[in-house]
Amino acid sequence: MSQATEHGEKSPVETKEVFERVARTYDRLNHLFSFNADTRWRRRLVAASETAAEGGSVLDVCTGTGDVAIAFARSNPAARITALDFSENMLANARAKIEAGKLSERITLIKGDALSLPFQDESFDVVSISFGLRTLSDRRRAVSELARVAKRGGRLLIMEFAPPPATPFGLLYRFYLHRLMPFMGDLLSGYRVSYSYLDTSIAAFPVASEVPVLMADAGLRKVETERLTGGIAYLFRASKP
Ligand SMILES: C[S@@+](CC[C@H](N)C(=O)[O-])C[C@H]1O[C@@H](n2cnc3c(N)ncnc32)[C@H](O)[C@@H]1O
């Protein structure tokens, strides 16, 4: 089952298993563990796209339970939104929320692989991925796929957790991330090791130094970095020339 990955972490098959398992409790635990900051961060990502009320097409990759896609739909009533993930259970949750929000006409859900996007070059005005990049086995390829499907002049947004910063707050966060969250997550989701994987994947990805390089190497320009909540998470924004 295991295949080698670029970072010696989980294979795509193992990653998929993790998300199929945690899908049921994903939203609740996300809000709980981030003290609801995740909702604020996703709103920030949507605002950073600067598409509000402009229409256009948006692709949200690794959409999970669809919160970013839903936030785009709410902030921009004229936009056409496509949201992609490879986990059936995550997509089922997204579908239920999209139907409950009467947004089925506006958001198209697609089951697919972030590393081989089923879209033609230059298809979308905005392409986003939130908290998905670190879970991918080949991040370089992922960013180049995101850049490929963005239109010229389009925007690319990447939001991701960062390893604990070297500050007193970071020390506290380190304890929270490595001890409390995996313990509580595995307990509340009912699956041992799933949440331990999430914290390991956060610690293993130095986003602040790597993501701007990956974006620039993918041919993107005007790369901007925004530190969120004391450096727990980062938002990266770039344009396709
Ligand atoms: C941590 S969740 C993030 C979900 C959502 N974007 C959010 O902000 O909460 C990561 C998501 O990436 C998806 N994923 C991981 N690898 C993938 C791949 N190769 N192709 C498509 N989706 C993938 C998982 O199924 C999961 O739903």
Side-chain angles (χ1 to χ4, degrees), residues 28-54:
R28 233 175 322 133
L29 293 187
N30 243 1
H31 299 326
L32 180 73
F33 289 147
S34 73
F35 302 99
N36 249 349
D38 62 317
T39 309
R40 208 170 56 240
W41 294 335
R42 290 192 189 88
R43 274 204 300 265
R44 179 69 206 117
L45 179 150
V46 170
S49 73
E50 292 171 10
T51 57
E54 283 174 19

PDB file of all heavy atoms in Angstrom, residues 28-54:
ATOM      1  N   ARG A  28     -16.282  20.075  13.164  1.00  0.00           N
ATOM      2  CA  ARG A  28     -16.406  20.361  14.605  1.00  0.00           C
ATOM      3  C   ARG A  28     -15.032  20.493  15.253  1.00  0.00           C
ATOM      4  O   ARG A  28     -14.760  21.423  16.003  1.00  0.00           O
ATOM      5  CB  ARG A  28     -17.191  19.232  15.277  1.00  0.00           C
ATOM      6  CG  ARG A  28     -18.365  19.765  16.079  1.00  0.00           C
ATOM      7  CD  ARG A  28     -19.228  18.652  16.640  1.00  0.00           C
ATOM      8  NE  ARG A  28     -19.405  17.524  15.753  1.00  0.00           N
ATOM      9  CZ  ARG A  28     -19.276  16.247  16.134  1.00  0.00           C
ATOM     10  NH1 ARG A  28     -18.940  15.948  17.368  1.00  0.00           N
ATOM     11  NH2 ARG A  28     -19.500  15.267  15.291  1.00  0.00           N
ATOM     12  N   LEU A  29     -14.144  19.550  14.927  1.00  0.00           N
ATOM     13  CA  LEU A  29     -12.815  19.572  15.558  1.00  0.00           C
ATOM     14  C   LEU A  29     -11.955  20.730  15.045  1.00  0.00           C
ATOM     15  O   LEU A  29     -11.194  21.323  15.799  1.00  0.00           O
ATOM     16  CB  LEU A  29     -12.104  18.235  15.358  1.00  0.00           C
ATOM     17  CG  LEU A  29     -12.757  17.054  16.082  1.00  0.00           C
ATOM     18  CD1 LEU A  29     -11.892  15.805  15.975  1.00  0.00           C
ATOM     19  CD2 LEU A  29     -13.016  17.359  17.546  1.00  0.00           C
ATOM     20  N   ASN A  30     -12.139  21.072  13.776  1.00  0.00           N
ATOM     21  CA  ASN A  30     -11.417  22.224  13.220  1.00  0.00           C
ATOM     22  C   ASN A  30     -11.754  23.499  13.990  1.00  0.00           C
ATOM     23  O   ASN A  30     -10.870  24.257  14.380  1.00  0.00           O
ATOM     24  CB  ASN A  30     -11.890  22.446  11.780  1.00  0.00           C
ATOM     25  CG  ASN A  30     -10.778  22.270  10.799  1.00  0.00           C
ATOM     26  OD1 ASN A  30      -9.661  21.976  11.180  1.00  0.00           O
ATOM     27  ND2 ASN A  30     -11.070  22.458   9.543  1.00  0.00           N
ATOM     28  N   HIS A  31     -13.062  23.723  14.176  1.00  0.00           N
ATOM     29  CA  HIS A  31     -13.493  24.948  14.877  1.00  0.00           C
ATOM     30  C   HIS A  31     -13.007  24.906  16.324  1.00  0.00           C
ATOM     31  O   HIS A  31     -12.524  25.898  16.857  1.00  0.00           O
ATOM     32  CB  HIS A  31     -15.021  25.090  14.850  1.00  0.00           C
ATOM     33  CG  HIS A  31     -15.574  25.186  13.453  1.00  0.00           C
ATOM     34  ND1 HIS A  31     -14.904  25.795  12.428  1.00  0.00           N
ATOM     35  CD2 HIS A  31     -16.741  24.747  12.906  1.00  0.00           C
ATOM     36  CE1 HIS A  31     -15.627  25.720  11.306  1.00  0.00           C
ATOM     37  NE2 HIS A  31     -16.740  25.078  11.583  1.00  0.00           N
ATOM     38  N   LEU A  32     -13.122  23.721  16.935  1.00  0.00           N
ATOM     39  CA  LEU A  32     -12.726  23.576  18.343  1.00  0.00           C
ATOM     40  C   LEU A  32     -11.227  23.821  18.512  1.00  0.00           C
ATOM     41  O   LEU A  32     -10.805  24.638  19.334  1.00  0.00           O
ATOM     42  CB  LEU A  32     -13.085  22.156  18.801  1.00  0.00           C
ATOM     43  CG  LEU A  32     -12.748  21.793  20.235  1.00  0.00           C
ATOM     44  CD1 LEU A  32     -13.725  22.498  21.196  1.00  0.00           C
ATOM     45  CD2 LEU A  32     -12.838  20.278  20.457  1.00  0.00           C
ATOM     46  N   PHE A  33     -10.415  23.150  17.693  1.00  0.00           N
ATOM     47  CA  PHE A  33      -8.961  23.219  17.871  1.00  0.00           C
ATOM     48  C   PHE A  33      -8.381  24.579  17.505  1.00  0.00           C
ATOM     49  O   PHE A  33      -7.336  24.970  17.987  1.00  0.00           O
ATOM     50  CB  PHE A  33      -8.258  22.133  17.058  1.00  0.00           C
ATOM     51  CG  PHE A  33      -8.469  20.747  17.603  1.00  0.00           C
ATOM     52  CD1 PHE A  33      -8.542  19.657  16.767  1.00  0.00           C
ATOM     53  CD2 PHE A  33      -8.594  20.551  18.970  1.00  0.00           C
ATOM     54  CE1 PHE A  33      -8.742  18.381  17.275  1.00  0.00           C
ATOM     55  CE2 PHE A  33      -8.793  19.278  19.492  1.00  0.00           C
ATOM     56  CZ  PHE A  33      -8.867  18.199  18.642  1.00  0.00           C
ATOM     57  N   SER A  34      -9.066  25.295  16.621  1.00  0.00           N
ATOM     58  CA  SER A  34      -8.514  26.611  16.226  1.00  0.00           C
ATOM     59  C   SER A  34      -9.224  27.736  16.978  1.00  0.00           C
ATOM     60  O   SER A  34      -9.005  28.903  16.669  1.00  0.00           O
ATOM     61  CB  SER A  34      -8.666  26.817  14.722  1.00  0.00           C
ATOM     62  OG  SER A  34     -10.014  27.061  14.396  1.00  0.00           O
ATOM     63  N   PHE A  35     -10.080  27.380  17.931  1.00  0.00           N
ATOM     64  CA  PHE A  35     -10.884  28.376  18.655  1.00  0.00           C
ATOM     65  C   PHE A  35     -11.633  29.258  17.654  1.00  0.00           C
ATOM     66  O   PHE A  35     -11.719  30.466  17.814  1.00  0.00           O
ATOM     67  CB  PHE A  35     -10.010  29.231  19.591  1.00  0.00           C
ATOM     68  CG  PHE A  35      -9.251  28.413  20.593  1.00  0.00           C
ATOM     69  CD1 PHE A  35      -7.915  28.094  20.380  1.00  0.00           C
ATOM     70  CD2 PHE A  35      -9.879  27.923  21.734  1.00  0.00           C
ATOM     71  CE1 PHE A  35      -7.215  27.311  21.293  1.00  0.00           C
ATOM     72  CE2 PHE A  35      -9.183  27.136  22.649  1.00  0.00           C
ATOM     73  CZ  PHE A  35      -7.853  26.832  22.432  1.00  0.00           C
ATOM     74  N   ASN A  36     -12.115  28.630  16.590  1.00  0.00           N
ATOM     75  CA  ASN A  36     -12.900  29.282  15.533  1.00  0.00           C
ATOM     76  C   ASN A  36     -12.093  30.219  14.634  1.00  0.00           C
ATOM     77  O   ASN A  36     -12.662  30.888  13.776  1.00  0.00           O
ATOM     78  CB  ASN A  36     -14.089  30.044  16.104  1.00  0.00           C
ATOM     79  CG  ASN A  36     -15.386  29.365  15.713  1.00  0.00           C
ATOM     80  OD1 ASN A  36     -15.384  28.468  14.863  1.00  0.00           O
ATOM     81  ND2 ASN A  36     -16.475  29.780  16.306  1.00  0.00           N
ATOM     82  N   ALA A  37     -10.780  30.278  14.836  1.00  0.00           N
ATOM     83  CA  ALA A  37      -9.962  31.157  13.986  1.00  0.00           C
ATOM     84  C   ALA A  37     -10.017  30.681  12.532  1.00  0.00           C
ATOM     85  O   ALA A  37      -9.845  31.473  11.604  1.00  0.00           O
ATOM     86  CB  ALA A  37      -8.518  31.180  14.462  1.00  0.00           C
ATOM     87  N   ASP A  38     -10.269  29.376  12.305  1.00  0.00           N
ATOM     88  CA  ASP A  38     -10.285  28.861  10.935  1.00  0.00           C
ATOM     89  C   ASP A  38     -11.325  29.578  10.075  1.00  0.00           C
ATOM     90  O   ASP A  38     -11.100  29.832   8.900  1.00  0.00           O
ATOM     91  CB  ASP A  38     -10.496  27.337  10.919  1.00  0.00           C
ATOM     92  CG  ASP A  38     -11.817  26.907  11.518  1.00  0.00           C
ATOM     93  OD1 ASP A  38     -12.205  27.449  12.567  1.00  0.00           O
ATOM     94  OD2 ASP A  38     -12.480  26.038  10.927  1.00  0.00           O
ATOM     95  N   THR A  39     -12.449  29.921  10.684  1.00  0.00           N
ATOM     96  CA  THR A  39     -13.507  30.613   9.934  1.00  0.00           C
ATOM     97  C   THR A  39     -13.001  31.992   9.495  1.00  0.00           C
ATOM     98  O   THR A  39     -13.191  32.406   8.354  1.00  0.00           O
ATOM     99  CB  THR A  39     -14.755  30.792  10.832  1.00  0.00           C
ATOM    100  OG1 THR A  39     -15.057  29.525  11.385  1.00  0.00           O
ATOM    101  CG2 THR A  39     -15.944  31.329  10.079  1.00  0.00           C
ATOM    102  N   ARG A  40     -12.317  32.674  10.430  1.00  0.00           N
ATOM    103  CA  ARG A  40     -11.761  34.007  10.133  1.00  0.00           C
ATOM    104  C   ARG A  40     -10.681  33.901   9.034  1.00  0.00           C
ATOM    105  O   ARG A  40     -10.641  34.703   8.115  1.00  0.00           O
ATOM    106  CB  ARG A  40     -11.146  34.548  11.425  1.00  0.00           C
ATOM    107  CG  ARG A  40     -11.126  36.040  11.518  1.00  0.00           C
ATOM    108  CD  ARG A  40     -10.741  36.531  12.899  1.00  0.00           C
ATOM    109  NE  ARG A  40      -9.473  36.042  13.390  1.00  0.00           N
ATOM    110  CZ  ARG A  40      -9.331  35.315  14.509  1.00  0.00           C
ATOM    111  NH1 ARG A  40     -10.387  34.998  15.239  1.00  0.00           N
ATOM    112  NH2 ARG A  40      -8.144  34.911  14.903  1.00  0.00           N
ATOM    113  N   TRP A  41      -9.833  32.880   9.132  1.00  0.00           N
ATOM    114  CA  TRP A  41      -8.754  32.715   8.147  1.00  0.00           C
ATOM    115  C   TRP A  41      -9.333  32.483   6.747  1.00  0.00           C
ATOM    116  O   TRP A  41      -8.834  33.021   5.767  1.00  0.00           O
ATOM    117  CB  TRP A  41      -7.866  31.520   8.517  1.00  0.00           C
ATOM    118  CG  TRP A  41      -7.083  31.685   9.780  1.00  0.00           C
ATOM    119  CD1 TRP A  41      -6.692  32.864  10.368  1.00  0.00           C
ATOM    120  CD2 TRP A  41      -6.587  30.631  10.617  1.00  0.00           C
ATOM    121  NE1 TRP A  41      -5.987  32.592  11.514  1.00  0.00           N
ATOM    122  CE2 TRP A  41      -5.911  31.244  11.687  1.00  0.00           C
ATOM    123  CE3 TRP A  41      -6.656  29.234  10.569  1.00  0.00           C
ATOM    124  CZ2 TRP A  41      -5.297  30.501  12.710  1.00  0.00           C
ATOM    125  CZ3 TRP A  41      -6.044  28.499  11.567  1.00  0.00           C
ATOM    126  CH2 TRP A  41      -5.370  29.134  12.630  1.00  0.00           C
ATOM    127  N   ARG A  42     -10.387  31.661   6.662  1.00  0.00           N
ATOM    128  CA  ARG A  42     -10.966  31.382   5.335  1.00  0.00           C
ATOM    129  C   ARG A  42     -11.591  32.645   4.755  1.00  0.00           C
ATOM    130  O   ARG A  42     -11.495  32.903   3.556  1.00  0.00           O
ATOM    131  CB  ARG A  42     -11.987  30.256   5.412  1.00  0.00           C
ATOM    132  CG  ARG A  42     -11.345  28.913   5.669  1.00  0.00           C
ATOM    133  CD  ARG A  42     -12.300  27.758   5.468  1.00  0.00           C
ATOM    134  NE  ARG A  42     -11.650  26.540   5.934  1.00  0.00           N
ATOM    135  CZ  ARG A  42     -11.697  26.108   7.195  1.00  0.00           C
ATOM    136  NH1 ARG A  42     -12.386  26.781   8.098  1.00  0.00           N
ATOM    137  NH2 ARG A  42     -11.066  25.007   7.546  1.00  0.00           N
ATOM    138  N   ARG A  43     -12.221  33.446   5.637  1.00  0.00           N
ATOM    139  CA  ARG A  43     -12.783  34.724   5.151  1.00  0.00           C
ATOM    140  C   ARG A  43     -11.661  35.624   4.633  1.00  0.00           C
ATOM    141  O   ARG A  43     -11.805  36.324   3.642  1.00  0.00           O
ATOM    142  CB  ARG A  43     -13.559  35.425   6.270  1.00  0.00           C
ATOM    143  CG  ARG A  43     -15.010  34.950   6.360  1.00  0.00           C
ATOM    144  CD  ARG A  43     -15.883  36.003   7.004  1.00  0.00           C
ATOM    145  NE  ARG A  43     -15.451  36.316   8.354  1.00  0.00           N
ATOM    146  CZ  ARG A  43     -15.954  35.756   9.451  1.00  0.00           C
ATOM    147  NH1 ARG A  43     -16.925  34.883   9.360  1.00  0.00           N
ATOM    148  NH2 ARG A  43     -15.506  36.088  10.637  1.00  0.00           N
ATOM    149  N   ARG A  44     -10.517  35.591   5.313  1.00  0.00           N
ATOM    150  CA  ARG A  44      -9.361  36.401   4.900  1.00  0.00           C
ATOM    151  C   ARG A  44      -8.872  35.962   3.513  1.00  0.00           C
ATOM    152  O   ARG A  44      -8.541  36.780   2.661  1.00  0.00           O
ATOM    153  CB  ARG A  44      -8.252  36.245   5.959  1.00  0.00           C
ATOM    154  CG  ARG A  44      -7.007  36.983   5.700  1.00  0.00           C
ATOM    155  CD  ARG A  44      -7.170  38.496   5.830  1.00  0.00           C
ATOM    156  NE  ARG A  44      -6.185  39.176   5.023  1.00  0.00           N
ATOM    157  CZ  ARG A  44      -6.452  39.972   3.992  1.00  0.00           C
ATOM    158  NH1 ARG A  44      -7.689  40.233   3.640  1.00  0.00           N
ATOM    159  NH2 ARG A  44      -5.487  40.530   3.307  1.00  0.00           N
ATOM    160  N   LEU A  45      -8.840  34.647   3.319  1.00  0.00           N
ATOM    161  CA  LEU A  45      -8.415  34.117   2.012  1.00  0.00           C
ATOM    162  C   LEU A  45      -9.345  34.627   0.904  1.00  0.00           C
ATOM    163  O   LEU A  45      -8.886  35.101  -0.139  1.00  0.00           O
ATOM    164  CB  LEU A  45      -8.425  32.588   2.046  1.00  0.00           C
ATOM    165  CG  LEU A  45      -8.021  31.844   0.757  1.00  0.00           C
ATOM    166  CD1 LEU A  45      -7.390  30.511   1.117  1.00  0.00           C
ATOM    167  CD2 LEU A  45      -9.167  31.607  -0.185  1.00  0.00           C
ATOM    168  N   VAL A  46     -10.643  34.553   1.142  1.00  0.00           N
ATOM    169  CA  VAL A  46     -11.606  34.987   0.128  1.00  0.00           C
ATOM    170  C   VAL A  46     -11.429  36.486  -0.146  1.00  0.00           C
ATOM    171  O   VAL A  46     -11.406  36.923  -1.304  1.00  0.00           O
ATOM    172  CB  VAL A  46     -13.045  34.650   0.573  1.00  0.00           C
ATOM    173  CG1 VAL A  46     -14.070  35.300  -0.341  1.00  0.00           C
ATOM    174  CG2 VAL A  46     -13.230  33.134   0.596  1.00  0.00           C
ATOM    175  N   ALA A  47     -11.243  37.277   0.920  1.00  0.00           N
ATOM    176  CA  ALA A  47     -11.065  38.725   0.741  1.00  0.00           C
ATOM    177  C   ALA A  47      -9.793  38.994  -0.066  1.00  0.00           C
ATOM    178  O   ALA A  47      -9.762  39.888  -0.925  1.00  0.00           O
ATOM    179  CB  ALA A  47     -10.992  39.413   2.098  1.00  0.00           C
ATOM    180  N   ALA A  48      -8.750  38.212   0.180  1.00  0.00           N
ATOM    181  CA  ALA A  48      -7.472  38.422  -0.509  1.00  0.00           C
ATOM    182  C   ALA A  48      -7.562  38.117  -2.003  1.00  0.00           C
ATOM    183  O   ALA A  48      -6.710  38.541  -2.780  1.00  0.00           O
ATOM    184  CB  ALA A  48      -6.381  37.561   0.128  1.00  0.00           C
ATOM    185  N   SER A  49      -8.599  37.398  -2.420  1.00  0.00           N
ATOM    186  CA  SER A  49      -8.740  37.087  -3.847  1.00  0.00           C
ATOM    187  C   SER A  49      -9.195  38.321  -4.618  1.00  0.00           C
ATOM    188  O   SER A  49      -9.055  38.383  -5.839  1.00  0.00           O
ATOM    189  CB  SER A  49      -9.740  35.952  -4.054  1.00  0.00           C
ATOM    190  OG  SER A  49     -11.048  36.423  -3.827  1.00  0.00           O
ATOM    191  N   GLU A  50      -9.745  39.285  -3.871  1.00  0.00           N
ATOM    192  CA  GLU A  50     -10.219  40.542  -4.467  1.00  0.00           C
ATOM    193  C   GLU A  50     -11.165  40.306  -5.630  1.00  0.00           C
ATOM    194  O   GLU A  50     -11.121  40.994  -6.643  1.00  0.00           O
ATOM    195  CB  GLU A  50      -9.035  41.405  -4.906  1.00  0.00           C
ATOM    196  CG  GLU A  50      -8.248  41.912  -3.713  1.00  0.00           C
ATOM    197  CD  GLU A  50      -6.947  42.589  -4.086  1.00  0.00           C
ATOM    198  OE1 GLU A  50      -6.733  42.841  -5.268  1.00  0.00           O
ATOM    199  OE2 GLU A  50      -6.158  42.850  -3.155  1.00  0.00           O
ATOM    200  N   THR A  51     -12.042  39.301  -5.493  1.00  0.00           N
ATOM    201  CA  THR A  51     -12.997  39.028  -6.570  1.00  0.00           C
ATOM    202  C   THR A  51     -14.412  39.432  -6.186  1.00  0.00           C
ATOM    203  O   THR A  51     -15.318  39.269  -6.986  1.00  0.00           O
ATOM    204  CB  THR A  51     -13.063  37.532  -6.900  1.00  0.00           C
ATOM    205  OG1 THR A  51     -13.402  36.853  -5.704  1.00  0.00           O
ATOM    206  CG2 THR A  51     -11.781  37.008  -7.466  1.00  0.00           C
ATOM    207  N   ALA A  52     -14.596  39.890  -4.928  1.00  0.00           N
ATOM    208  CA  ALA A  52     -15.959  40.122  -4.457  1.00  0.00           C
ATOM    209  C   ALA A  52     -16.761  40.930  -5.471  1.00  0.00           C
ATOM    210  O   ALA A  52     -16.298  41.947  -5.974  1.00  0.00           O
ATOM    211  CB  ALA A  52     -15.923  40.839  -3.124  1.00  0.00           C
ATOM    212  N   ALA A  53     -17.930  40.410  -5.774  1.00  0.00           N
ATOM    213  CA  ALA A  53     -18.887  41.080  -6.662  1.00  0.00           C
ATOM    214  C   ALA A  53     -18.397  41.234  -8.099  1.00  0.00           C
ATOM    215  O   ALA A  53     -18.988  41.940  -8.895  1.00  0.00           O
ATOM    216  CB  ALA A  53     -19.272  42.442  -6.094  1.00  0.00           C
ATOM    217  N   GLU A  54     -17.311  40.543  -8.429  1.00  0.00           N
ATOM    218  CA  GLU A  54     -16.799  40.681  -9.797  1.00  0.00           C
ATOM    219  C   GLU A  54     -17.181  39.513 -10.698  1.00  0.00           C
ATOM    220  O   GLU A  54     -16.853  39.516 -11.870  1.00  0.00           O
ATOM    221  CB  GLU A  54     -15.260  40.741  -9.777  1.00  0.00           C
ATOM    222  CG  GLU A  54     -14.717  42.072  -9.342  1.00  0.00           C
ATOM    223  CD  GLU A  54     -13.203  42.021  -9.197  1.00  0.00           C
ATOM    224  OE1 GLU A  54     -12.578  41.106  -9.752  1.00  0.00           O
ATOM    225  OE2 GLU A  54     -12.676  42.896  -8.515  1.00  0.00           O
TER     226      GLU A  54
END
